[in-house]
Each structure stands twice: as C-alpha cells, then as structure tokens.
C-alpha cells in the first residue's frame, strides 16, 4: 500500500530539512510525496479588493518562481536520496496555508503531514512558528509531524508517549505511531505525569487497553510526580535523549500545555525532538 505524505515548503533551510527527514523516516516504504508551496504576491494585501487571477502577469510570474524553486528542490532530493520507492508531486498554490493544506489533504487522500517548525521568517527564540502550531491544532484528518530546526535524521529508537489515562484509546488513533515504531524497531515509553500518582478505576482500565494496543511493539510505562505536565514530558525526553514525542491531539488534553509559551522558552530554538500530533 502506498503512503501519501504532504510536506509544505517555503524553500527555506528548515523546510528542506523537514523534507529530508520525511524521506529518511519512510525510506523503506512506498510513498508518494506531495510538496506544497503556498506563494503570495508582494503587491496584494487583504485591503486590496482586486484578487490576482490566473493568467495575469503578476500571478503567472509568482507561480513560475515557485515552480522554478521546486525544480531546484527536486534536484537536491535526487542528490540526497535516489529512492525507487518514492515518487514526488509538486503543488504551487496561491492560497492561505491552512486552506491549501485542507484542500490537498482531501483531494490527495493524505496520510501524514510533515513540516518544519520555522520557515524563512522564523523568529529566534521561538521553536514552533505560528504556521506549525496552527496546522497541528486545526488538521484533524491526519497526523502532523513537526521537525525542529536543527534536527538531523537518525532512526527513532525511543518515542515518548504522554497520557493521563483518562480517555479510551482506539487502535486507529495510534496506527501511525505503531507504524513508525515497527519500521524503526523503536521503543514506546508511555509516561504519566501527575502530582497524584495513583490511578482511579477508569484510568487503570484505559492503561490496560493501552498495553493491549502496544503489545506488538516494545514498550514500557513510567510515572512521574510533577506538577507541570510539560516540564515532566520534556525532562523525561531530554534525560533519556529520546527521539520523538507523540501524543493524541485532543482539545482537552496536553495540547495547550505542550505548546504554551513557558515550554517554548524552556526548550528554546535548539530543540532536538520532533513532535507527532495524532488526531
């Protein structure tokens, strides 16, 4: 079965790094990579009532520039990895990133989005750019994997999976996490971070269910007594030099904690761990 992966790019170094990470992560898998560039027109602003139309000189020049950058990118990809299992498609879109992502995910039946955490306009001191955070928050049709700026690919051998055990998990929610773990023989470290370390009856049942779901991969359970959930997750991952953090992206769970400003400041712009948000 062919996996379809969408990689947004603004042709920055960080975006190129995310492309390379994607190619290496799924090196052994038959994949179609859809490379998406959302181009804008310098002279057009939201206050301008005239939307540039296809066929206009300004529109066609901007699109041609995007396509020219794609030619260079495909040449770099060929130098990085000539993989017969991979095919590439480029999409130049005049649109807002969120809308272009939504349309491409639907039209191409995308399985996974992989993107860098900062683009060409990345601000020093901020690891997760607004585009990345918005994408991880809004995309619900497929997982989103965010690759920090300076992460060079190494096969993930340990993936941290934080949980509060308050919700029942479904196998379908975790299939991409399990897939990555199986491809790279990675260990999943399930961590529960809470000041109160005791689990109630519902939590115990959900923990048992998670054990059953993870029975086909190497895994272990860990409990950390810490008031701040985000601090506990990053401290655990940093101390073990883990390769990835994965979590179910539910509105009421962890998302706000993981991407809150205090955590961004703590791990800084030299963060070394990709984040996998599972819908």
């Amino acid at each position: 079965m062919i996996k379809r992966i969408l990689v947004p790019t603004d042709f920055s170094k960080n975006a190129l790094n995310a492309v390379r990470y994607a190619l290496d992560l799924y090196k052994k898998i038959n994949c179609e990579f859809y490379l998406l560039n959302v181009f804008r027109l310098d002279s057009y602003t939201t206050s301008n009532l005239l939307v540039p139309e296809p066929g206009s000189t300004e529109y066609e020049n901007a699109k041609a520039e995007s396509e020219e950058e794609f030619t260079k990118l495909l040449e770099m990809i060929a130098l990085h990895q000539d993989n017969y299992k991979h095919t590439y498609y480029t999409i130049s879109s005049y649109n807002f990133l969120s809308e272009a992502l939504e349309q491409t995910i639907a039209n191409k039946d995308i399985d996974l989005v992989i993107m860098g955490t900062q683009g060409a306009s990345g601000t020093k001191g901020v690891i997760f750019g607004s585009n990345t955070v918005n994408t991880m928050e809004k995309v619900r049709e497929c997982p989103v994997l965010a690759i920090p700026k300076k992460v060079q690919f190494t096969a993930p051998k340990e993936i941290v999976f934080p949980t509060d055990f308050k919700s029942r998990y479904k196998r379908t929610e975790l299939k991409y996490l399990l897939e990555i773990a199986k491809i790279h023989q990675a260990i999943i470290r399930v961590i529960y971070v809470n000041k109160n370390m005791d689990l109630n009856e519902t939590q115990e049942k959900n923990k048992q269910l998670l054990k059953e779901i993870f029975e086909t991969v190497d895994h272990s359970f860990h409990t950390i007594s810490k008031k701040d959930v985000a601090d506990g997750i990053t401290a655990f991952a940093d101390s073990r030099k883990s390769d990835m953090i994965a979590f179910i992206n539910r509105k009421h769970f962890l998302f706000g904690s993981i991407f809150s400003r205090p955590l961004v400041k703590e791990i800084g712009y030299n963060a070394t761990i990709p984040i996998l948000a599972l819908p």
Side-chain angles (χ1 to χ4, degrees):
M1 186 174 177
I2 295 177
K3 182 166 293 297
R4 296 179 178 88
I5 298 174
L6 174 59
V7 187
T9 179
D10 59 2
F11 308 114
S12 64
K13 286 184 178 179
N14 189 31
L16 175 59
N17 186 53
V19 171
R20 288 173 171 164
Y21 191 100
L23 301 184
D24 288 331
L25 185 67
Y26 286 98
K27 185 176 182 178
K28 301 175 184 178
I29 306 298
N30 291 319
C31 294
E32 292 178 351
F33 287 94
Y34 291 85
L35 308 172
L36 170 68
N37 173 243
V38 175
F39 65 87
R40 308 298 293 168
L41 276 62
D42 294 336
S43 63
Y44 176 72
T45 65
T46 52
S47 62
N48 192 333
L49 297 178
L50 296 175
V51 178
E53 294 289 336
S56 68
T57 301
E58 194 175 16
Y59 180 96
E60 294 302 329
N61 286 345
K63 185 178 180 181
E65 186 177 332
S66 172
E67 291 171 347
E68 185 178 334
E69 290 294 331
F70 268 134
T71 299
K72 296 176 185 176
L73 177 57
L74 291 175
E75 289 173 354
M76 283 190 278
I77 288 174
L79 289 173
H80 172 71
Q81 186 186 113
D82 187 14
N83 191 335
Y84 73 93
K85 290 179 176 287
H86 294 170
T87 53
Y88 307 97
Y89 301 91
T90 62
I91 302 170
S92 296
S93 173
Y94 178 76
N95 206 338
F96 294 106
L97 177 62
S98 58
E99 292 180 9
L101 286 168
E102 183 180 338
Q103 290 173 7
T104 307
I105 289 169
N107 294 339
K108 304 300 181 183
D109 193 22
I110 295 298
D111 296 302
L112 172 70
V113 175
I114 299 180
M115 64 191 300
T117 54
Q118 285 182 343
S121 60
T123 304
K124 186 175 181 181
V126 178
I127 170 180
F128 291 101
S130 58
N131 281 336
T132 308
V133 173
N134 289 339
T135 300
M136 299 183 88
E137 187 174 20
K138 292 178 180 178
V139 170
R140 297 285 169 176
E141 297 78 18
C142 67
V144 178
L145 177 62
I147 312 301
K149 188 175 181 180
K150 296 187 178 180
V151 169
Q152 291 190 336
F153 179 82
T154 56
K157 294 303 177 187
E158 182 169 288
I159 303 172
V160 176
F161 182 75
T163 177
D164 56 11
F165 295 120
K166 291 180 180 178
S167 301
R168 286 179 60 84
Y169 286 116
K170 300 175 183 177
R171 293 179 191 275
T172 52
E173 290 178 316
L174 297 164
K175 68 176 183 178
Y176 289 102
L177 171 58
L178 287 167
E179 179 183 76
I180 291 173
K182 288 176 182 178
I183 291 172
H184 299 284
Q185 288 81 55
I187 299 172
I188 298 176
R189 305 292 188 191
V190 182
I191 64 167
Y192 172 64
V193 184
N194 202 302
K195 201 68 177 174
N196 176 18
M197 299 178 71
D198 295 327
L199 301 181
N200 60 35
E201 184 178 350
T202 298
Q203 287 175 307
E204 287 288 359
K205 288 180 179 179
N206 291 333
K207 181 178 179 179
Q208 183 58 41
L209 176 61
L210 206 53
K211 284 182 180 179
E212 294 171 8
I213 293 173
F214 286 156
E215 65 183 358
T216 58
V217 297
D218 199 352
H219 66 278
S220 61
F221 286 81
H222 306 262
T223 302
I224 300 173
S225 176
K226 202 170 182 68
K227 185 176 181 180
D228 187 273
V229 174
D231 283 346
I233 296 168
T234 51
F236 182 88
D238 288 347
S239 68
R240 304 180 60 87
K241 293 183 169 57
S242 304
D243 303 295
M244 187 179 293
I245 296 173
F247 67 98
I248 298 289
N249 184 8
R250 291 194 173 106
K251 285 286 186 182
H252 65 278
F253 173 65
L254 287 184
F255 184 89
S257 300
I258 286 181
F259 292 99
S260 63
R261 184 171 294 277
L263 179 62
V264 169
K265 285 182 177 179
E266 179 183 343
I267 60 180
Y269 57 89
N270 289 318
T272 57
I273 302 177
I275 305 290
L276 176 64
L278 301 159

